[in-house]
Amino acid sequence: MVCALGAAVCFGTATVLQAIAARAVADDSAPGGEAALLLRALRQWRYLAGLALDGVGFLLQIAALRSIPIYAVGAALAASLAVTAVVAARLLDVRLSRVEWGAVGVVCAGLAMLGLASGTEGERAGSLTLKYVMLGTAVGVLLLGGVAGRLPERGRALTLGLGAGFGFGVVEVTVRLIDDLGVGALLSNPATYALLLGGGAAFVLLTSALQRGSVTTATAGLVIGETIGPAVVGVVWLGDRTREGLGWLAVLGFAVAVAGALALARFGEAPAVEAEV
């Protein structure tokens, strides 16, 4: 659980640092569009620090997925929104309402319950069928982006957010489906392609959702998509369990943590404020 919480801290802090860097170099009159903006942001130490934290967070996420149930990791990653909210309040001078501070406390309480109730990861090996299902899901997520782009704004943001959540959910599951890291084994494992395609599609869909619709709606869809589905797969197909007699506490903790994260959905993108370089 420590690795999952560490990943949440890394991802949540990276969001704020990258937002500060991107907005510090934003200039509507500068030529080059999004590509030029990215290049300017890459010259900012905060943006590079954010990328480094993303990398560390991903490694911690992999370590967590190899040691505790998927449902615990998913809830912890959703809690990165609470980290973003707290860091934004500190670094960006964002004023959190009492309800939002309460939501941060709710997330922490949910994670504490999950920590007490979570058992070890399931011992079942993923079947070949499940690996192909994950690959098919990744392809579906990619295709969803083309369909969702034609929907009205509210429906588009929610659909793209859900699609991104499903894509990240594919990553969570496929990490458990890759046991042999040999080159030949990786190339012959459908889960390898599902992980790459699912992660890439999720990134594209989330970026589109945040640019073309409500951040709050998109992030709410993301949280739902990346937590519930993978948790069910972990329990039903991979054998994830709780400590004996504490199944009810795990369910309650999961629900509480996700509900708190949804209440903080507006922090899926750090608030737009001016920041000094």
Side-chain angles (χ1 to χ4, degrees), residues 20-156:
I20 293 175
R23 285 160 186 155
V25 299
D27 184 356
D28 292 337
S29 63
E34 296 297 326
L37 176 61
L38 176 60
L39 290 175
R40 292 196 298 273
L42 286 171
R43 300 191 188 103
Q44 301 290 312
W45 71 264
R46 292 183 183 90
Y47 196 87
L48 295 176
L51 290 178
L53 283 174
D54 280 334
V56 174
F58 182 67
L59 294 177
L60 289 173
Q61 177 185 354
I62 292 176
L65 287 166
R66 305 296 296 183
S67 58
I68 63 175
I70 293 175
Y71 62 78
V73 178
L77 294 181
S80 65
L81 292 173
V83 176
T84 298
V86 173
V87 175
R90 177 74 175 178
L91 297 184
L92 299 180
D93 198 24
V94 174
R95 186 180 295 273
L96 300 184
S97 68
R98 291 182 180 179
V99 172
E100 288 169 335
W101 277 118
V104 172
V106 165
V107 169
C108 294
L111 292 177
M113 287 186 275
L114 271 175
L116 290 173
S118 296
T120 58
E121 67 170 357
E123 297 180 353
R124 294 182 199 165
S127 66
L128 183 61
T129 299
L130 180 58
K131 294 175 182 179
Y132 276 110
V133 168
M134 289 298 102
L135 180 57
T137 302
V139 173
V141 169
L142 188 62
L143 295 176
L144 181 64
V147 176
R150 302 180 183 140
L151 296 175
E153 179 177 338
R154 182 177 294 272
R156 180 173 62 235

Side-chain angles (χ1 to χ4, degrees), residues 143-214:
L143 295 176
L144 181 64
V147 176
R150 302 180 183 140
L151 296 175
E153 179 177 338
R154 182 177 294 272
R156 180 173 62 235
L158 179 60
T159 303
L160 289 171
L162 277 171
F166 292 148
F168 288 127
V170 167
V171 173
E172 293 174 24
V173 174
T174 52
V175 166
R176 290 272 296 275
L177 300 178
I178 300 175
D179 294 321
D180 191 340
L181 298 181
V183 176
L186 287 174
L187 292 176
S188 62
N189 190 344
T192 303
Y193 304 100
L195 186 153
L196 296 174
L197 186 59
F203 180 79
V204 171
L205 264 64
L206 181 59
T207 301
S208 178
L210 296 178
Q211 290 177 341
R212 302 173 62 188
S214 165

